[in-house]
Amino acid sequence: MSMKSLIRFDWAAKRILRDKANFEVLEGFLSVLLGQRILIKEILESEGNQDQSDSKFNRVDIMARDESDELIIVEIQLSRQVHFLERMLFGVGKALTENLRLGDGYSKVKKVYSIGILYFDFGSGSDYVYHGQTRLLGLHTGDEFVLTERDREGLDMRPVKDIFPEYYVIRVSEFDRNAVTPLEEWMEYLKTGKVREDTEVPGLREAKKKLDWLNMGEDERRAYDSYLLNLMNERECLETARLEGKEEGMAEGRALGKQEGMAEGRALGKEEGMAEGILLGAEQANLLTAQRMKAAGIDSETISSITGLPVERIRTL
C-alpha cells in the first residue's frame, strides 16, 4: 500500500493548522474522534498558540460548532509533561473562564472537549484512546442524576451530558494494529507521520496537500527541522541521563552508601547524559531529515548542504 510522508501533527497543529485555510484538517480529525460533524469557527488565544518551539507548550484552543449548531470549545494538548492530567484539568477551567464574558449568565458556559495527545509512554492500559465524562451517580442507589422534562423545557436547561466537559486521552505509542477504520488511519498518521495515498478519511485527504514538507517555505522547513532536532535531543538526553544516572548511582552507592551514591549518580548521569545525548541526537536528527528529504525526491547534494552529512552517506540511506 502506497504511503505519503507528511510533517508531524504536533508541529502542524501549532504552526500550520491555525491558519483558516487549513481548518479542514483539524475539522476532519475532530469529526472522526467525536463522531459528529465539527466546523471550526476560530482558533482562540492560548499559551500554545504563541510562536514558540518549546514542545511542552503545544496547546491549541478551538471555538467550533457541533452538528447541532451548538458552540463548543475544543482544547487539544500535545503533551510531553508528566503532569498532563493536571494540565488538562487546568486548561478546561482556563478555557471556560476566558471565554465567558463579564456579565454573561452561566447558561452561556460552553461545552468543552479536552483532548490530550501523548507522544510518550505514561500510565497503563491496553487501549490507545480513552474517553471520560463527569456522571452524577447515587451514592446509595447507583442511579444517574438527570434533569426532568420540566427542567429542560420550562427552565431551558441543557442535559447534564451537554454541560460537563468530556476528556479524551490518546496514547500514540499504544497503537499497534493495521488501520481499518477512519480513527485508526488517523492514529497511523499520528504515530508514523504517514498517510495512505488513496485515503478518503476526513482531514487526512486534505493533509496530503497541506502538510507536505515540499509545500513548506524555506524558513518554515528550517524551523521544522530544528523542531525535529530538539525532539531528538530531548529524548536522547532524558534516556541517557536515566541510564547513566542509574549506573553511576549504583556504583557510588555501593562505596559511599545508597543515599549519597544515588544523589551523585543522578548528578553525574545528568551531566554526562546531556552531553552525549546532544551529540547523538543531532546526528540522528540529521539522518531523519535526510531520509525525509530523499524520500521527497531532493537530490543528494542539496540534502548534504542542508544537513552537513556526506553525499556518500546520503546515497546509502
Side-chain angles (χ1 to χ4, degrees):
M1 183 179 300
S2 179
M3 304 290 287
K4 183 180 182 67
S5 294
L6 304 178
I7 62 176
R8 290 172 56 104
F9 180 76
D10 49 348
W11 170 266
K14 180 178 173 63
R15 295 289 293 267
I16 297 176
L17 300 182
R18 292 191 289 134
D19 188 327
K20 189 172 183 178
N22 299 326
F23 279 1
E24 291 175 304
V25 178
L26 276 177
E27 287 174 344
F29 170 67
L30 294 173
S31 298
V32 169
L33 179 65
L34 302 182
Q36 59 176 312
R37 185 75 175 98
I38 302 295
L39 293 175
I40 295 176
K41 185 169 181 266
E42 63 177 313
I43 302 295
L44 304 172
E45 283 304 314
S46 74
E47 80 214 14
N49 294 341
Q50 308 305 316
D51 188 14
Q52 55 184 316
S53 60
D54 191 343
S55 62
K56 294 181 176 63
F57 295 100
N58 277 359
R59 173 181 146 206
V60 181
D61 293 342
I62 300 166
M63 182 75 77
R65 289 190 180 275
D66 63 16
E67 60 186 15
S68 301
D69 202 34
E70 292 289 332
L71 276 176
I72 62 174
I73 296 174
V74 180
E75 188 204 38
I76 300 178
Q77 292 210 41
L78 303 151
S79 181
R80 297 182 185 281
Q81 290 189 326
V82 174
H83 298 290
F84 81 94
L85 291 176
E86 290 86 345
R87 281 184 58 81
M88 288 180 73
L89 179 61
F90 175 79
V92 166
K94 203 167 188 296
L96 283 170
T97 56
E98 287 183 350
N99 293 283
L100 185 67
R101 294 178 298 181
L102 188 63
D104 281 345
Y106 290 121
S107 62
K108 300 296 184 181
V109 169
K110 306 291 191 299
K111 169 81 173 190
V112 177
Y113 294 89
S114 180
I115 302 168
I117 303 178
L118 306 186
Y119 283 92
F120 65 101
D121 291 327
F122 186 75
S124 64
S126 58
D127 210 330
Y128 54 89
V129 178
Y130 288 84
H131 169 248
Q133 182 181 19
T134 300
R135 298 176 62 201
L136 303 176
L137 304 177
L139 186 62
H140 304 98
T141 62
D143 67 313
E144 185 170 2
F145 173 83
V146 296
L147 299 180
T148 65
E149 185 175 344
R150 182 191 64 185
D151 295 328
R152 294 196 307 272
E153 297 182 2
L155 300 178
D156 193 27
M157 297 180 67
R158 293 171 289 172
V160 173
K161 68 180 182 63
D162 293 337
I163 297 174
F164 289 122
E166 294 187 39
Y167 297 88
Y168 287 83
V169 174
I170 300 176
R171 305 173 70 215
V172 176
S173 61
E174 289 300 312
F175 181 73
D176 60 355
R177 63 185 69 183
N178 292 325
V180 176
T181 67
L183 181 57
E184 288 173 345
E185 284 199 43
W186 261 103
M187 290 299 304
E188 186 173 56
Y189 165 55
L190 292 179
K191 185 171 184 177
T192 67
K194 296 181 179 180
V195 173
R196 300 178 184 184
E197 290 280 7
D198 61 350
T199 186
E200 291 299 323
V201 173
L204 293 181
R205 291 189 305 258
E206 296 74 18
K208 286 191 300 180
K209 293 182 179 179
K210 299 180 184 295
L211 303 184
D212 191 330
W213 187 85
L214 291 176
N215 291 336
M216 296 168 64
E218 176 123 15
D219 290 343
E220 194 71 19
R221 288 181 185 177
R222 268 204 290 294
Y224 179 60
D225 291 343
S226 177
Y227 179 71
L228 294 179
L229 179 60
N230 288 338
L231 289 181
M232 294 293 294
N233 288 343
E234 181 182 283
R235 292 194 189 106
E236 288 296 325
C237 290
L238 289 174
E239 180 63 18
T240 304
R242 184 183 69 82
L243 295 175
E244 292 290 337
K246 181 178 179 180
E247 181 179 344
E248 294 288 341
M250 291 296 290
E252 293 294 329
R254 284 191 293 268
L256 303 175
K258 183 176 181 180
Q259 184 175 359
E260 293 181 2
M262 288 300 290
E264 186 173 348
R266 284 191 293 270
L268 289 173
K270 183 177 181 181
E271 181 180 350
E272 295 178 16
M274 289 289 287
E276 185 176 349
I278 288 172
L279 292 175
L280 292 175
E283 181 180 355
Q284 293 182 17
N286 283 334
L287 287 172
L288 176 61
T289 300
Q291 288 174 335
R292 288 178 178 272
M293 294 175 71
K294 187 173 182 180
I298 299 173
D299 62 89
S300 299
E301 288 73 16
T302 300
I303 297 175
S304 177
S305 68
I306 293 174
T307 63
L309 295 173
V311 173
E312 293 76 13
R313 179 71 178 91
I314 294 170
R315 287 172 178 163
T316 63
L317 296 177

